[in-house]
Amino acid sequence: MKTYSISEVAKELNLTVYTLRYYDKEGLIPFVERTAGGKRLFKQSDISALKVIECLKATGMPIKEIKNFINWCMEGDSTLQKRYEMFLERKAAVEAKMKELQQTMEVIEHKCSYYKTALDAGTEDVHQNNKIEMFN
């Protein structure tokens, strides 16, 4: 079975070696094997698990909760319901963030249109009806 060094994994996942060491220190990758000398040996399944960790992190999940998830995975099938519910919660959080970002994008698109029209006209006066446009 092919194994990867910490630097190879860091490069593949676009992380730093420091980040991977931090994850290890925080108990997020207890499944990673080590040589007799303590060198980490990552398998492809470890890289896949790290991708899930990065996904959860991107949702804003705190390290402590990610660690709970990892522990549930290590416990096996008895925690399937907990893991399922956790992902439903993450899904709802991401959907809410996407809605918020969509609303933000609508404001940005409006402002781009506003300023493009003003630039094309050579003046902001083209928007006579919206004198306080900066706040609209």
Side-chain angles (χ1 to χ4, degrees):
M1 178 181 299
K2 179 158 174 50
T3 59
Y4 304 87
S5 70
I6 194 168
S7 58
E8 290 172 321
V9 173
K11 184 176 179 182
E12 181 171 335
L13 298 177
N14 198 27
L15 298 171
T16 64
V17 168
Y18 172 81
T19 297
L20 292 173
R21 288 185 180 131
Y22 173 74
Y23 287 175
D24 193 18
K25 180 178 151 260
E26 292 298 314
L28 297 183
I29 52 174
F31 41 80
V32 173
E33 295 176 18
R34 290 182 179 253
T35 65
K39 180 181 169 189
R40 295 168 189 86
L41 298 174
F42 292 84
K43 301 180 298 261
Q44 190 59 49
S45 61
D46 300 333
I47 294 171
S48 296
L50 281 161
K51 287 177 181 178
V52 173
I53 290 168
E54 284 302 293
C55 172
L56 292 173
K57 212 172 123 224
T59 71
M61 180 179 260
I63 294 290
K64 180 181 175 185
E65 289 181 35
I66 296 172
K67 184 177 181 193
N68 287 339
F69 167 71
I70 296 300
N71 289 339
W72 293 337
C73 291
M74 305 283 286
E75 289 175 32
D77 289 348
S78 64
T79 63
L80 283 171
Q81 185 68 37
K82 289 179 184 177
R83 289 183 270 162
Y84 173 67
E85 289 169 2
M86 185 210 72
F87 271 98
L88 287 177
E89 289 172 10
R90 289 290 94 203
K91 181 177 182 252
V94 169
E95 287 171 342
K97 185 66 174 173
M98 288 172 66
K99 182 178 178 184
E100 180 183 317
L101 286 171
Q102 184 57 44
Q103 292 168 341
T104 300
M105 181 58 81
E106 289 169 9
V107 170
I108 289 170
E109 286 173 347
H110 171 74
K111 298 308 285 181
C112 286
S113 174
Y114 171 88
Y115 287 114
K116 176 71 171 127
T117 302
L119 280 168
D120 289 347
T123 178
E124 218 172 342
D125 289 344
V126 73
H127 299 289
Q128 289 287 1
N129 297 336
N130 296 319
K131 279 294 182 189
I132 310 179
E133 178 62 32
M134 184 168 74
F135 301 106
N136 290 340

